[in-house]
Amino acid sequence: MPREQARRSWTWARRLLVVFGAVVILAGLVGAATLGPILLRPNAYKAVTSIETQPAFHDPALLAQAWGLPVAERYRQRPYEYQSNPSFCGPASVANLLRSLGVDFSQADVIRGTEFQPWFGILVNGLTLDELADLIRRRLDRPVHIVRDLSLTAFREAMKGSNDPSKRLIVNFHRGPLFSRGAGHFSPLLGYLPDRDLVFVGDVNGDYKPFLVSTERLWQAATTIDGTSGKARGLLIIDPVLPSP
């Protein structure tokens, strides 16, 4: 009897190993489907000088000034949440936006119960600008304006709006024109320093964290084409009704 039990236990153990192996392989395939095309695609921005070399990028004095801007102050009232993996920049941006309005949502909460469900933790192909707008409308039930193809002058005017506490802005940009590497990305806009023409980007990537960039460089990154949708990237402008401070 003990020998028969041992044989059955070994059989079940082998089956579990097979199932576990299949899950690992499937997860790898999903990850490859998401990141593979990005890693294999030639880097068109290799010659770009990264904004990390610019003095303003993480300048302590300028960052302190930026965190004192009206909208940035709303964001800093709660811990800033960084994306859990490279495909979650959209949900992480929405989670931080909601937190700035006093709604304690995590990035997992943002997509829970929606059609945007990850495979083994990965959102295959991420989200497009239109999809993220739909997600915000569902969670916030407020007007969300999709803004594309702005001139530099119009984009600069929009950046001024990021200091308006009655609004929230999320930018969709390609990292290449900024960092000479990377792919499409979402992050909230936390404010604008008009005297220096610098935008305060609340990067949800924990390796970069919130940074300052010139309006023109961000505009170049936000007017690129999203290969998934075939449309230009751009801005989401949300007009929420803010609760009393």
Side-chain angles (χ1 to χ4, degrees):
M1 192 64 158
R3 181 178 297 177
E4 179 64 19
Q5 288 179 339
R7 185 185 66 79
R8 290 178 180 176
S9 297
W10 173 241
T11 299
W12 276 106
R14 283 188 300 176
R15 289 177 180 174
L16 287 173
L17 285 172
V18 169
V19 172
F20 179 75
V23 169
V24 170
I25 291 172
L26 184 56
L29 290 173
V30 171
T34 302
L35 301 178
I38 296 172
L39 296 175
L40 296 175
R41 187 180 304 136
N43 183 5
Y45 302 101
K46 188 175 181 180
V48 169
T49 300
S50 173
I51 61 171
E52 294 162 290
T53 66
Q54 300 299 311
F57 178 68
H58 273 162
D59 180 84
L62 288 176
L63 283 177
Q65 182 182 349
W67 277 116
L69 293 169
V71 174
E73 285 187 335
R74 300 295 179 98
Y75 275 94
R76 75 185 308 181
Q77 288 176 1
R78 284 171 169 75
Y80 206 72
E81 182 165 331
Y82 296 103
Q83 62 193 82
S84 58
N85 66 60
S87 71
F88 263 58
C89 57
S93 295
V94 177
N96 285 304
L97 184 151
L98 291 171
R99 288 179 178 204
S100 78
L101 300 174
V103 182
D104 284 320
F105 259 46
S106 69
Q107 54 199 287
D109 294 329
V110 167
I111 60 171
R112 184 171 290 117
T114 71
E115 65 270 31
F116 307 113
Q117 292 304 304
W119 282 35
F120 300 99
I122 301 294
L123 283 170
V124 179
N125 293 324
L127 297 174
T128 67
L129 191 64
D130 296 274
E131 288 173 335
L132 195 69
D134 289 340
L135 189 58
I136 295 172
R137 291 186 188 105
R138 179 175 301 193
R139 290 304 182 209
L140 199 54
D141 191 28
R142 294 298 303 162
V144 180
H145 310 287
I146 301 171
V147 182
R148 290 186 171 97
D149 301 315
L150 292 176
S151 67
L152 176 56
T153 300
F155 190 83
R156 185 172 283 113
E157 283 300 312
M159 295 304 96
K160 295 176 183 177
S162 66
N163 285 336
D164 183 349
S166 70
K167 296 181 180 179
R168 294 292 184 272
L169 276 71
I170 288 178
V171 63
N172 180 206
F173 62 96
H174 194 293
R175 283 193 173 278
L178 299 184
F179 299 101
S180 82
R181 61 191 182 275
H185 191 59
F186 288 101
S187 284
L189 294 183
L190 308 187
Y192 176 66
L193 296 174
D195 56 330
R196 293 178 176 268
D197 195 27
L198 291 173
V199 184
F200 190 24
V201 179
D203 200 335
V204 294
N205 185 318
D207 292 334
Y208 295 86
K209 296 184 170 61
F211 61 82
L212 290 161
V213 60
S214 72
T215 300
E216 185 169 0
R217 286 292 292 270
L218 185 60
W219 171 74
Q220 292 170 350
T223 52
T224 52
I225 300 298
D226 183 341
T228 300
S229 67
K231 300 178 181 179
R233 295 183 172 90
L235 301 170
L236 296 179
I237 301 177
I238 302 98
D239 296 318
V241 175
L242 295 180
S244 300

PDB file of all heavy atoms in Angstrom, residues 209-239:
ATOM      1  N   LYS A 209      11.175  58.006 -12.598  1.00  0.00           N
ATOM      2  CA  LYS A 209      10.461  58.859 -11.647  1.00  0.00           C
ATOM      3  C   LYS A 209      10.140  60.221 -12.278  1.00  0.00           C
ATOM      4  O   LYS A 209      10.581  60.510 -13.389  1.00  0.00           O
ATOM      5  CB  LYS A 209      11.249  59.008 -10.347  1.00  0.00           C
ATOM      6  CG  LYS A 209      11.421  57.673  -9.593  1.00  0.00           C
ATOM      7  CD  LYS A 209      12.115  57.888  -8.276  1.00  0.00           C
ATOM      8  CE  LYS A 209      12.067  56.625  -7.426  1.00  0.00           C
ATOM      9  NZ  LYS A 209      12.725  55.465  -8.047  1.00  0.00           N
ATOM     10  N   PRO A 210       9.310  61.047 -11.623  1.00  0.00           N
ATOM     11  CA  PRO A 210       8.932  62.342 -12.204  1.00  0.00           C
ATOM     12  C   PRO A 210      10.145  63.171 -12.600  1.00  0.00           C
ATOM     13  O   PRO A 210      11.128  63.256 -11.858  1.00  0.00           O
ATOM     14  CB  PRO A 210       8.128  62.994 -11.082  1.00  0.00           C
ATOM     15  CG  PRO A 210       7.488  61.837 -10.379  1.00  0.00           C
ATOM     16  CD  PRO A 210       8.550  60.773 -10.377  1.00  0.00           C
ATOM     17  N   PHE A 211      10.049  63.791 -13.788  1.00  0.00           N
ATOM     18  CA  PHE A 211      11.179  64.550 -14.325  1.00  0.00           C
ATOM     19  C   PHE A 211      10.682  65.806 -15.029  1.00  0.00           C
ATOM     20  O   PHE A 211       9.492  65.972 -15.297  1.00  0.00           O
ATOM     21  CB  PHE A 211      11.994  63.686 -15.298  1.00  0.00           C
ATOM     22  CG  PHE A 211      11.227  63.203 -16.508  1.00  0.00           C
ATOM     23  CD1 PHE A 211      11.054  64.023 -17.627  1.00  0.00           C
ATOM     24  CD2 PHE A 211      10.690  61.918 -16.542  1.00  0.00           C
ATOM     25  CE1 PHE A 211      10.343  63.582 -18.741  1.00  0.00           C
ATOM     26  CE2 PHE A 211       9.993  61.465 -17.662  1.00  0.00           C
ATOM     27  CZ  PHE A 211       9.817  62.300 -18.758  1.00  0.00           C
ATOM     28  N   LEU A 212      11.620  66.687 -15.347  1.00  0.00           N
ATOM     29  CA  LEU A 212      11.334  67.919 -16.066  1.00  0.00           C
ATOM     30  C   LEU A 212      11.922  67.845 -17.472  1.00  0.00           C
ATOM     31  O   LEU A 212      13.037  67.355 -17.666  1.00  0.00           O
ATOM     32  CB  LEU A 212      11.932  69.117 -15.319  1.00  0.00           C
ATOM     33  CG  LEU A 212      11.245  69.458 -13.994  1.00  0.00           C
ATOM     34  CD1 LEU A 212      12.142  70.319 -13.124  1.00  0.00           C
ATOM     35  CD2 LEU A 212       9.909  70.150 -14.240  1.00  0.00           C
ATOM     36  N   VAL A 213      11.162  68.338 -18.446  1.00  0.00           N
ATOM     37  CA  VAL A 213      11.583  68.285 -19.839  1.00  0.00           C
ATOM     38  C   VAL A 213      11.060  69.528 -20.548  1.00  0.00           C
ATOM     39  O   VAL A 213      10.002  70.061 -20.181  1.00  0.00           O
ATOM     40  CB  VAL A 213      11.066  67.001 -20.526  1.00  0.00           C
ATOM     41  CG1 VAL A 213       9.546  66.935 -20.501  1.00  0.00           C
ATOM     42  CG2 VAL A 213      11.585  66.876 -21.949  1.00  0.00           C
ATOM     43  N   SER A 214      11.780  69.977 -21.561  1.00  0.00           N
ATOM     44  CA  SER A 214      11.316  71.140 -22.313  1.00  0.00           C
ATOM     45  C   SER A 214      10.037  70.793 -23.066  1.00  0.00           C
ATOM     46  O   SER A 214       9.828  69.642 -23.472  1.00  0.00           O
ATOM     47  CB  SER A 214      12.385  71.607 -23.296  1.00  0.00           C
ATOM     48  OG  SER A 214      12.519  70.703 -24.373  1.00  0.00           O
ATOM     49  N   THR A 215       9.186  71.765 -23.267  1.00  0.00           N
ATOM     50  CA  THR A 215       7.924  71.543 -23.968  1.00  0.00           C
ATOM     51  C   THR A 215       8.166  70.988 -25.362  1.00  0.00           C
ATOM     52  O   THR A 215       7.461  70.074 -25.813  1.00  0.00           O
ATOM     53  CB  THR A 215       7.131  72.855 -24.066  1.00  0.00           C
ATOM     54  OG1 THR A 215       6.854  73.328 -22.756  1.00  0.00           O
ATOM     55  CG2 THR A 215       5.816  72.651 -24.812  1.00  0.00           C
ATOM     56  N   GLU A 216       9.159  71.507 -26.064  1.00  0.00           N
ATOM     57  CA  GLU A 216       9.405  71.067 -27.438  1.00  0.00           C
ATOM     58  C   GLU A 216       9.815  69.602 -27.506  1.00  0.00           C
ATOM     59  O   GLU A 216       9.344  68.859 -28.378  1.00  0.00           O
ATOM     60  CB  GLU A 216      10.469  71.935 -28.109  1.00  0.00           C
ATOM     61  CG  GLU A 216      10.670  71.585 -29.584  1.00  0.00           C
ATOM     62  CD  GLU A 216      11.516  72.591 -30.324  1.00  0.00           C
ATOM     63  OE1 GLU A 216      11.961  73.583 -29.708  1.00  0.00           O
ATOM     64  OE2 GLU A 216      11.737  72.392 -31.536  1.00  0.00           O
ATOM     65  N   ARG A 217      10.658  69.151 -26.585  1.00  0.00           N
ATOM     66  CA  ARG A 217      11.069  67.736 -26.592  1.00  0.00           C
ATOM     67  C   ARG A 217       9.884  66.824 -26.298  1.00  0.00           C
ATOM     68  O   ARG A 217       9.724  65.768 -26.933  1.00  0.00           O
ATOM     69  CB  ARG A 217      12.189  67.501 -25.570  1.00  0.00           C
ATOM     70  CG  ARG A 217      13.540  68.031 -25.979  1.00  0.00           C
ATOM     71  CD  ARG A 217      14.158  67.283 -27.146  1.00  0.00           C
ATOM     72  NE  ARG A 217      14.542  65.921 -26.835  1.00  0.00           N
ATOM     73  CZ  ARG A 217      15.729  65.545 -26.379  1.00  0.00           C
ATOM     74  NH1 ARG A 217      16.679  66.468 -26.151  1.00  0.00           N
ATOM     75  NH2 ARG A 217      16.012  64.267 -26.169  1.00  0.00           N
ATOM     76  N   LEU A 218       9.041  67.228 -25.348  1.00  0.00           N
ATOM     77  CA  LEU A 218       7.875  66.404 -25.052  1.00  0.00           C
ATOM     78  C   LEU A 218       6.904  66.399 -26.233  1.00  0.00           C
ATOM     79  O   LEU A 218       6.309  65.369 -26.561  1.00  0.00           O
ATOM     80  CB  LEU A 218       7.178  66.911 -23.788  1.00  0.00           C
ATOM     81  CG  LEU A 218       6.004  66.059 -23.284  1.00  0.00           C
ATOM     82  CD1 LEU A 218       6.461  64.637 -22.963  1.00  0.00           C
ATOM     83  CD2 LEU A 218       5.352  66.692 -22.072  1.00  0.00           C
ATOM     84  N   TRP A 219       6.744  67.531 -26.873  1.00  0.00           N
ATOM     85  CA  TRP A 219       5.886  67.628 -28.057  1.00  0.00           C
ATOM     86  C   TRP A 219       6.370  66.690 -29.151  1.00  0.00           C
ATOM     87  O   TRP A 219       5.572  65.983 -29.782  1.00  0.00           O
ATOM     88  CB  TRP A 219       5.867  69.070 -28.545  1.00  0.00           C
ATOM     89  CG  TRP A 219       5.208  69.280 -29.878  1.00  0.00           C
ATOM     90  CD1 TRP A 219       3.867  69.246 -30.150  1.00  0.00           C
ATOM     91  CD2 TRP A 219       5.868  69.569 -31.120  1.00  0.00           C
ATOM     92  NE1 TRP A 219       3.639  69.486 -31.496  1.00  0.00           N
ATOM     93  CE2 TRP A 219       4.851  69.697 -32.108  1.00  0.00           C
ATOM     94  CE3 TRP A 219       7.200  69.742 -31.485  1.00  0.00           C
ATOM     95  CZ2 TRP A 219       5.149  69.972 -33.439  1.00  0.00           C
ATOM     96  CZ3 TRP A 219       7.508  70.021 -32.809  1.00  0.00           C
ATOM     97  CH2 TRP A 219       6.483  70.132 -33.769  1.00  0.00           C
ATOM     98  N   GLN A 220       7.666  66.646 -29.382  1.00  0.00           N
ATOM     99  CA  GLN A 220       8.225  65.734 -30.381  1.00  0.00           C
ATOM    100  C   GLN A 220       7.894  64.285 -30.049  1.00  0.00           C
ATOM    101  O   GLN A 220       7.576  63.480 -30.939  1.00  0.00           O
ATOM    102  CB  GLN A 220       9.737  65.920 -30.472  1.00  0.00           C
ATOM    103  CG  GLN A 220      10.174  67.248 -31.050  1.00  0.00           C
ATOM    104  CD  GLN A 220      11.659  67.501 -30.912  1.00  0.00           C
ATOM    105  OE1 GLN A 220      12.379  66.766 -30.222  1.00  0.00           O
ATOM    106  NE2 GLN A 220      12.145  68.553 -31.568  1.00  0.00           N
ATOM    107  N   ALA A 221       7.939  63.940 -28.764  1.00  0.00           N
ATOM    108  CA  ALA A 221       7.660  62.566 -28.342  1.00  0.00           C
ATOM    109  C   ALA A 221       6.175  62.230 -28.395  1.00  0.00           C
ATOM    110  O   ALA A 221       5.789  61.072 -28.608  1.00  0.00           O
ATOM    111  CB  ALA A 221       8.192  62.353 -26.924  1.00  0.00           C
ATOM    112  N   ALA A 222       5.328  63.253 -28.199  1.00  0.00           N
ATOM    113  CA  ALA A 222       3.875  63.037 -28.148  1.00  0.00           C
ATOM    114  C   ALA A 222       3.213  63.121 -29.513  1.00  0.00           C
ATOM    115  O   ALA A 222       2.008  62.846 -29.628  1.00  0.00           O
ATOM    116  CB  ALA A 222       3.222  64.041 -27.201  1.00  0.00           C
ATOM    117  N   THR A 223       3.952  63.492 -30.547  1.00  0.00           N
ATOM    118  CA  THR A 223       3.381  63.571 -31.898  1.00  0.00           C
ATOM    119  C   THR A 223       3.850  62.407 -32.771  1.00  0.00           C
ATOM    120  O   THR A 223       3.695  62.442 -33.994  1.00  0.00           O
ATOM    121  CB  THR A 223       3.752  64.910 -32.567  1.00  0.00           C
ATOM    122  OG1 THR A 223       5.163  65.119 -32.488  1.00  0.00           O
ATOM    123  CG2 THR A 223       3.037  66.058 -31.902  1.00  0.00           C
ATOM    124  N   THR A 224       4.398  61.377 -32.147  1.00  0.00           N
ATOM    125  CA  THR A 224       4.785  60.159 -32.858  1.00  0.00           C
ATOM    126  C   THR A 224       3.546  59.303 -33.130  1.00  0.00           C
ATOM    127  O   THR A 224       2.471  59.544 -32.577  1.00  0.00           O
ATOM    128  CB  THR A 224       5.811  59.364 -32.037  1.00  0.00           C
ATOM    129  OG1 THR A 224       5.285  59.169 -30.708  1.00  0.00           O
ATOM    130  CG2 THR A 224       7.130  60.100 -31.945  1.00  0.00           C
ATOM    131  N   ILE A 225       3.710  58.295 -33.973  1.00  0.00           N
ATOM    132  CA  ILE A 225       2.601  57.406 -34.339  1.00  0.00           C
ATOM    133  C   ILE A 225       2.640  56.133 -33.500  1.00  0.00           C
ATOM    134  O   ILE A 225       3.690  55.494 -33.353  1.00  0.00           O
ATOM    135  CB  ILE A 225       2.661  57.044 -35.840  1.00  0.00           C
ATOM    136  CG1 ILE A 225       2.572  58.303 -36.698  1.00  0.00           C
ATOM    137  CG2 ILE A 225       1.534  56.073 -36.206  1.00  0.00           C
ATOM    138  CD1 ILE A 225       1.290  59.083 -36.531  1.00  0.00           C
ATOM    139  N   ASP A 226       1.492  55.769 -32.959  1.00  0.00           N
ATOM    140  CA  ASP A 226       1.333  54.520 -32.227  1.00  0.00           C
ATOM    141  C   ASP A 226       1.155  53.394 -33.243  1.00  0.00           C
ATOM    142  O   ASP A 226       0.189  53.382 -34.005  1.00  0.00           O
ATOM    143  CB  ASP A 226       0.112  54.614 -31.307  1.00  0.00           C
ATOM    144  CG  ASP A 226      -0.083  53.371 -30.449  1.00  0.00           C
ATOM    145  OD1 ASP A 226       0.474  52.306 -30.786  1.00  0.00           O
ATOM    146  OD2 ASP A 226      -0.819  53.459 -29.450  1.00  0.00           O
ATOM    147  N   GLY A 227       2.079  52.443 -33.251  1.00  0.00           N
ATOM    148  CA  GLY A 227       2.019  51.357 -34.219  1.00  0.00           C
ATOM    149  C   GLY A 227       0.817  50.454 -34.056  1.00  0.00           C
ATOM    150  O   GLY A 227       0.388  49.805 -35.014  1.00  0.00           O
ATOM    151  N   THR A 228       0.245  50.386 -32.860  1.00  0.00           N
ATOM    152  CA  THR A 228      -0.926  49.537 -32.632  1.00  0.00           C
ATOM    153  C   THR A 228      -2.190  50.148 -33.212  1.00  0.00           C
ATOM    154  O   THR A 228      -2.958  49.482 -33.899  1.00  0.00           O
ATOM    155  CB  THR A 228      -1.123  49.288 -31.118  1.00  0.00           C
ATOM    156  OG1 THR A 228       0.034  48.641 -30.590  1.00  0.00           O
ATOM    157  CG2 THR A 228      -2.351  48.405 -30.883  1.00  0.00           C
ATOM    158  N   SER A 229      -2.413  51.434 -32.957  1.00  0.00           N
ATOM    159  CA  SER A 229      -3.635  52.091 -33.430  1.00  0.00           C
ATOM    160  C   SER A 229      -3.469  52.720 -34.806  1.00  0.00           C
ATOM    161  O   SER A 229      -4.460  52.965 -35.506  1.00  0.00           O
ATOM    162  CB  SER A 229      -4.063  53.182 -32.438  1.00  0.00           C
ATOM    163  OG  SER A 229      -3.115  54.244 -32.427  1.00  0.00           O
ATOM    164  N   GLY A 230      -2.224  53.006 -35.187  1.00  0.00           N
ATOM    165  CA  GLY A 230      -1.986  53.708 -36.439  1.00  0.00           C
ATOM    166  C   GLY A 230      -2.293  55.196 -36.343  1.00  0.00           C
ATOM    167  O   GLY A 230      -2.267  55.897 -37.353  1.00  0.00           O
ATOM    168  N   LYS A 231      -2.578  55.669 -35.131  1.00  0.00           N
ATOM    169  CA  LYS A 231      -2.911  57.077 -34.911  1.00  0.00           C
ATOM    170  C   LYS A 231      -1.776  57.766 -34.156  1.00  0.00           C
ATOM    171  O   LYS A 231      -0.940  57.120 -33.525  1.00  0.00           O
ATOM    172  CB  LYS A 231      -4.211  57.212 -34.118  1.00  0.00           C
ATOM    173  CG  LYS A 231      -5.434  56.602 -34.785  1.00  0.00           C
ATOM    174  CD  LYS A 231      -6.649  56.743 -33.879  1.00  0.00           C
ATOM    175  CE  LYS A 231      -7.886  56.128 -34.488  1.00  0.00           C
ATOM    176  NZ  LYS A 231      -9.068  56.241 -33.576  1.00  0.00           N
ATOM    177  N   ALA A 232      -1.788  59.088 -34.211  1.00  0.00           N
ATOM    178  CA  ALA A 232      -0.805  59.855 -33.460  1.00  0.00           C
ATOM    179  C   ALA A 232      -1.064  59.719 -31.971  1.00  0.00           C
ATOM    180  O   ALA A 232      -2.204  59.562 -31.525  1.00  0.00           O
ATOM    181  CB  ALA A 232      -0.854  61.322 -33.869  1.00  0.00           C
ATOM    182  N   ARG A 233       0.019  59.759 -31.214  1.00  0.00           N
ATOM    183  CA  ARG A 233      -0.118  59.845 -29.765  1.00  0.00           C
ATOM    184  C   ARG A 233      -0.558  61.267 -29.418  1.00  0.00           C
ATOM    185  O   ARG A 233      -0.813  62.071 -30.290  1.00  0.00           O
ATOM    186  CB  ARG A 233       1.203  59.474 -29.092  1.00  0.00           C
ATOM    187  CG  ARG A 233       1.610  58.023 -29.331  1.00  0.00           C
ATOM    188  CD  ARG A 233       2.889  57.667 -28.596  1.00  0.00           C
ATOM    189  NE  ARG A 233       3.143  56.231 -28.697  1.00  0.00           N
ATOM    190  CZ  ARG A 233       3.838  55.652 -29.666  1.00  0.00           C
ATOM    191  NH1 ARG A 233       4.371  56.402 -30.633  1.00  0.00           N
ATOM    192  NH2 ARG A 233       4.031  54.345 -29.688  1.00  0.00           N
ATOM    193  N   GLY A 234      -0.649  61.586 -28.149  1.00  0.00           N
ATOM    194  CA  GLY A 234      -1.111  62.922 -27.793  1.00  0.00           C
ATOM    195  C   GLY A 234      -1.445  63.046 -26.332  1.00  0.00           C
ATOM    196  O   GLY A 234      -0.746  62.503 -25.473  1.00  0.00           O
ATOM    197  N   LEU A 235      -2.547  63.724 -26.038  1.00  0.00           N
ATOM    198  CA  LEU A 235      -2.939  64.052 -24.672  1.00  0.00           C
ATOM    199  C   LEU A 235      -4.344  63.582 -24.368  1.00  0.00           C
ATOM    200  O   LEU A 235      -5.200  63.509 -25.255  1.00  0.00           O
ATOM    201  CB  LEU A 235      -2.894  65.565 -24.449  1.00  0.00           C
ATOM    202  CG  LEU A 235      -1.584  66.304 -24.660  1.00  0.00           C
ATOM    203  CD1 LEU A 235      -1.831  67.811 -24.636  1.00  0.00           C
ATOM    204  CD2 LEU A 235      -0.568  65.905 -23.610  1.00  0.00           C
ATOM    205  N   LEU A 236      -4.584  63.297 -23.096  1.00  0.00           N
ATOM    206  CA  LEU A 236      -5.937  63.147 -22.565  1.00  0.00           C
ATOM    207  C   LEU A 236      -6.142  64.285 -21.575  1.00  0.00           C
ATOM    208  O   LEU A 236      -5.319  64.488 -20.665  1.00  0.00           O
ATOM    209  CB  LEU A 236      -6.110  61.804 -21.861  1.00  0.00           C
ATOM    210  CG  LEU A 236      -5.969  60.553 -22.730  1.00  0.00           C
ATOM    211  CD1 LEU A 236      -6.148  59.301 -21.874  1.00  0.00           C
ATOM    212  CD2 LEU A 236      -6.945  60.560 -23.882  1.00  0.00           C
ATOM    213  N   ILE A 237      -7.203  65.043 -21.772  1.00  0.00           N
ATOM    214  CA  ILE A 237      -7.525  66.152 -20.861  1.00  0.00           C
ATOM    215  C   ILE A 237      -8.842  65.808 -20.169  1.00  0.00           C
ATOM    216  O   ILE A 237      -9.868  65.620 -20.822  1.00  0.00           O
ATOM    217  CB  ILE A 237      -7.631  67.478 -21.614  1.00  0.00           C
ATOM    218  CG1 ILE A 237      -6.300  67.775 -22.337  1.00  0.00           C
ATOM    219  CG2 ILE A 237      -7.996  68.616 -20.661  1.00  0.00           C
ATOM    220  CD1 ILE A 237      -6.321  69.039 -23.166  1.00  0.00           C
ATOM    221  N   ILE A 238      -8.795  65.715 -18.853  1.00  0.00           N
ATOM    222  CA  ILE A 238      -9.942  65.288 -18.060  1.00  0.00           C
ATOM    223  C   ILE A 238     -10.430  66.476 -17.235  1.00  0.00           C
ATOM    224  O   ILE A 238      -9.638  67.199 -16.631  1.00  0.00           O
ATOM    225  CB  ILE A 238      -9.558  64.115 -17.118  1.00  0.00           C
ATOM    226  CG1 ILE A 238      -9.020  62.933 -17.947  1.00  0.00           C
ATOM    227  CG2 ILE A 238     -10.753  63.684 -16.285  1.00  0.00           C
ATOM    228  CD1 ILE A 238      -7.520  62.865 -18.020  1.00  0.00           C
ATOM    229  N   ASP A 239     -11.730  66.673 -17.250  1.00  0.00           N
ATOM    230  CA  ASP A 239     -12.344  67.792 -16.523  1.00  0.00           C
ATOM    231  C   ASP A 239     -13.141  67.263 -15.331  1.00  0.00           C
ATOM    232  O   ASP A 239     -14.362  67.163 -15.375  1.00  0.00           O
ATOM    233  CB  ASP A 239     -13.284  68.593 -17.443  1.00  0.00           C
ATOM    234  CG  ASP A 239     -12.529  69.242 -18.582  1.00  0.00           C
ATOM    235  OD1 ASP A 239     -11.436  69.765 -18.341  1.00  0.00           O
ATOM    236  OD2 ASP A 239     -13.034  69.227 -19.709  1.00  0.00           O
TER     237      ASP A 239
END
